[in-house]
Amino acid sequence: MQHNSSISNAARAAQTVHQVPGFGSEEMERMAEHTFQRYTFNDDGPGPSKRKLGKGVAMVWFRNDLRILDNEVLYKAWVSSEAVLPVHFLDPRLFATTHHFGFPKTGALRAQFLMDCLADLKKSLMKRGLNLLIQNGKPEEILPSLAKAYGVHTVYAQKETCSEELNVEKLVSQALRESGTKLELVWGCTMYHIDDLPFSSKSLPDVYTQFRKSVESKSVVRGCIKIPTSLGPPPNVGDWGCIPEITSLELRQEKACFCSSSLYIYIYINYLLLGVLEVQSHLMQVSKGMAFVGGESAALSRDLLRTYKVTRNGMLGPNYSTKFSPWLASGSLSPRFIYEEAVLEKYRPLGVKTEYFLMPGRMLELVSPTLRYPLIDANMKELSTTGFMSNRGRQIVCSFLVRDMGIDWRMGAEWFETCLLDYDPCSNYGNWTYGAGVGNDPREDRYFSIPKQAQNYDPEGEFVAYWLPQLRALPKEKRHFPGMMYIKPIVALKFGNKKPVDNRTMAPGTRSVSTEENKWKSHRGKRMQ
């Protein structure tokens, strides 16, 4: 009985779900309200009112800015009106399929995260005298009739940057123009305002380092927009609508049609994706790893900036990085707010140096592969289960799919679009082009060596053993390279797998790791990592 109990306890521990952030709903709301108090003002006191010139009804079209704090769209609508009508559209295009490979554009996990964000936004607006009108359909087809029904003089919305969003903006603008309603787009998705850049948006530097140095030396981050304690009143709306269950969103569940003629790619990718594609037919709930709670209240209660620089390359657990990205991607959190809180108030100076982990003295000889790659499988399994993957994991997976498997990088980018809670088109597709060497970056063959990444960032195999429990029984040094105790691969690594050898006894003509693979530990600009 004792033996069985131990097994059960170990199994339960392996299935632990870590809520991010790790607080109950009441505690998250309390922490959020404490923050709101520092970023609000009372417009009802003596003196001139900031709203006294407002007339009629203004609409707030919430897009990827699902927050109240530091939301200039909401503030401008409030100032310019006597009543504010907040609206969010569940656009069916967001739940269609990706362009090239037919993956679901929004997986069930991100859909649920979005519903959490909307529920929290609705609750926060109601606390401040408003509400959130939920509409199912395309904005350009519904906005004109809403504007007419409620006498809206201006629709305020956040300005977006990518093609799909810009096309929707164009269609909405045309539709509203015919109804006599104005559309005002407000820039609010970046830390630096576009008008404050030291160059025009049409003449950005080609290389990011040049961009960063110029902006940091010549631009200033604007302060957060404060909001009034009361945002009401709203117009008289009979039915504000409810936050839907994701079963009503008609998420696309069919398996993607892979356009590659290579059978091994089809088999391997299907193996990696099978867990998600099958689970998506159910209401997808996290059973292991990190379960993110959507919404501004959850975002405002997350605080791990002090340790970020020494933990950002971690892989296992909820606290190795800030995990702000899902809330930033949904607009539940403002990048200016993070800057103001982290740099200007609490954490300046950080004074922490990133620690680098060096290779052991024994070198790695390249040999023919006889196994699958637990580090890749574990990262993909985490992605499918939680909707999240570490920064380090994303780089490793990208390198493997593009360099070792020779897969079209767009397949990886579109699959990440499906799965990631923090999906953002600029970040996602920008990082995949960067990793694939098809962007402006001159280092075209950036390669992440799986043996070195495993040894540097998961040296005891805890990460792979967590996501691949069959490896936990193995000695720690065998978890990344379990030989025939794991599944045989169907593709070889570009630079092979590892076998410990003494570098001093390497045969003449053998490629020395000290001159090739050890490049990972040198400064930025080297390709081997």
Side-chain angles (χ1 to χ4, degrees):
M1 293 296 293
Q2 180 67 35
H3 178 67
N4 290 337
S5 176
S6 299
I7 293 176
S8 298
N9 289 337
R12 283 195 293 271
Q15 294 297 321
T16 299
V17 176
H18 299 281
Q19 181 173 293
V20 183
F23 306 104
S25 57
E26 292 184 1
E27 181 66 7
M28 286 191 294
E29 288 183 27
R30 185 192 67 78
M31 297 173 73
E33 287 301 320
H34 178 74
T35 303
F36 272 120
Q37 290 174 12
R38 295 187 285 110
Y39 288 89
T40 57
F41 62 88
N42 190 343
D43 197 53
D44 297 329
S49 170
K50 294 185 178 182
R51 197 184 192 183
K52 64 181 180 180
L53 298 179
K55 300 294 182 183
V57 177
M59 180 186 293
V60 175
W61 170 21
F62 279 102
R63 304 177 77 188
N64 288 322
D65 58 337
L66 303 180
R67 67 180 184 273
I68 292 177
L69 195 154
D70 191 35
N71 192 328
E72 192 170 359
V73 173
L74 180 60
Y75 177 77
K76 284 193 170 185
W78 176 81
V79 168
S80 68
S81 68
E82 297 171 299
V84 176
L85 176 60
V87 182
H88 180 79
F89 296 92
L90 294 171
D91 192 329
R93 288 168 293 206
L94 297 178
F95 307 102
T97 55
T98 58
H99 181 73
H100 293 286
F101 297 98
F103 297 132
K105 284 183 68 68
T106 302
L109 278 176
R110 190 164 78 250
Q112 185 58 60
F113 188 86
L114 173 60
M115 296 307 107
D116 290 347
C117 293
L118 294 175
D120 184 74
L121 177 60
K122 188 178 183 74
K123 189 173 184 178
S124 294
L125 287 170
M126 291 175 70
K127 287 181 180 179
R128 291 160 180 81
L130 291 179
N131 205 323
L132 181 64
L133 180 60
I134 305 293
Q135 295 283 289
N136 290 284
K138 297 178 179 179
E140 66 271 20
E141 296 176 356
I142 303 175
L143 268 172
S145 59
L146 281 180
K148 182 178 180 180
Y150 294 102
V152 174
H153 59 74
T154 306
V155 174
Y156 292 89
Q158 178 173 277
K159 173 68 177 173
E160 298 294 338
T161 59
C162 295
S163 59
E164 294 176 8
E165 291 80 3
L166 292 178
N167 183 56
V168 173
E169 287 178 9
K170 180 180 178 181
L171 295 173
V172 167
S173 180
Q174 293 173 346
L176 288 177
R177 192 180 304 119
E178 296 173 0
S179 66
T181 305
K182 181 182 177 183
L183 174 64
E184 183 168 331
L185 298 172
V186 180
W187 188 270
C189 59
T190 58
M191 186 169 74
Y192 290 95
H193 196 284
I194 190 172
D195 293 341
D196 298 336
L197 297 180
F199 31 67
S200 73
S201 59
K202 296 182 179 180
S203 58
L204 298 178
D206 289 335
V207 179
Y208 175 72
T209 300
Q210 298 173 0
F211 170 88
R212 176 180 58 81
K213 289 182 176 180
S214 181
V215 170
E216 288 180 348
S217 63
K218 300 176 183 178
S219 300
V220 176
V221 179
R222 297 183 181 185
C224 290
I225 301 293
K226 292 192 174 184
I227 60 168
T229 54
S230 174
L231 293 163
N236 185 19
V237 177
D239 182 8
W240 288 92
C242 299
I243 308 299
E245 299 291 336
I246 64 171
T247 50
S248 67
L249 298 178
E250 298 183 0
L251 300 179
R252 303 301 292 266
Q253 310 297 346
E254 66 270 19
K255 296 187 179 182
C257 175
F258 296 100
C259 301
S260 172
S261 60
S262 175
L263 181 60
Y264 77 84
I265 290 178
Y266 177 85
I267 295 173
Y268 192 87
I269 291 295
N270 260 300
Y271 177 84
L272 292 178
L273 308 187
L274 185 60
V276 184
L277 293 171
E278 289 182 346
V279 173
Q280 279 190 335
S281 63
H282 304 85
L283 264 182
M284 204 168 176
Q285 295 183 351
V286 176
S287 60
K288 184 177 182 178
M290 293 177 290
F292 286 80
V293 180
E296 184 176 22
S297 297
L300 294 178
S301 64
R302 181 72 178 171
D303 183 5
L304 283 172
L305 283 168
R306 290 182 186 275
T307 58
Y308 172 73
K309 294 188 77 174
V310 293
T311 61
R312 64 193 176 105
N313 281 319
M315 287 185 167
L316 186 61
N319 295 329
Y320 62 78
S321 67
T322 65
K323 307 293 188 301
F324 281 145
S325 57
W327 295 293
L328 284 168
S330 64
S332 301
L333 194 62
S334 157
R336 291 191 302 204
F337 168 78
I338 294 179
Y339 176 86
E340 192 163 312
E341 288 285 296
V343 181
L344 298 182
E345 293 185 12
K346 296 182 180 179
Y347 305 115
R348 186 174 62 180
L350 289 172
V352 179
K353 294 182 179 179
T354 304
E355 296 182 5
Y356 295 91
F357 300 89
L358 301 181
M359 293 276 288
R362 294 175 68 80
M363 296 295 110
L364 305 178
E365 181 184 9
L366 303 179
V367 296
S368 298
T370 58
L371 50 99
R372 278 279 299 280
Y373 311 111
L375 187 59
I376 300 299
D377 296 350
N379 273 289
M380 294 296 282
K381 195 168 183 180
E382 180 183 32
L383 175 64
S384 69
T385 304
T386 69
F388 192 84
M389 186 187 290
S390 68
N391 171 64
R392 179 59 47 176
R394 298 183 199 204
Q395 297 177 78
I396 297 168
V397 166
C398 175
S399 173
F400 176 75
L401 293 179
V402 174
R403 306 297 179 193
D404 293 310
M405 295 193 68
I407 291 176
D408 187 330
W409 66 268
R410 295 173 299 180
M411 180 181 285
E414 289 190 3
W415 182 244
F416 273 37
E417 179 176 352
T418 295
C419 296
L420 285 174
L421 295 180
D422 61 8
Y423 168 72
D424 169 84
C426 297
S427 175
N428 184 61
Y429 284 90
N431 282 330
W432 273 93
T433 58
Y434 175 80
V438 296
N440 288 324
D441 190 348
R443 298 184 295 278
E444 296 181 357
D445 59 345
R446 182 178 291 99
Y447 183 80
F448 281 75
S449 167
I450 290 179
K452 270 184 286 310
Q453 296 296 313
Q455 193 156 5
N456 296 335
Y457 299 108
D458 190 30
E460 297 188 347
E462 285 299 316
F463 175 74
V464 295
Y466 180 83
W467 288 107
L468 307 169
Q470 65 269 35
L471 299 178
R472 185 163 293 280
L474 300 180
K476 293 180 179 180
E477 65 273 13
K478 290 284 189 181
R479 289 175 177 174
H480 284 285
F481 306 97
M484 298 307 294
M485 290 175 282
Y486 197 55
I487 305 170
K488 185 178 179 180
I490 50 179
V491 59
L493 292 178
K494 181 178 179 181
F495 290 109
N497 289 311
K498 76 172 190 177
K499 176 182 177 182
V501 297
D502 190 331
N503 194 42
R504 293 170 298 180
T505 62
M506 294 182 72
T510 303
R511 187 171 70 84
S512 171
V513 178
S514 62
T515 60
E516 292 289 336
E517 290 194 277
N518 251 3
K519 291 180 181 179
W520 69 270
K521 66 181 181 180
S522 59
H523 60 78
R524 187 183 306 174
K526 299 298 182 182
R527 299 169 183 174
M528 183 74 68
Q529 302 190 51

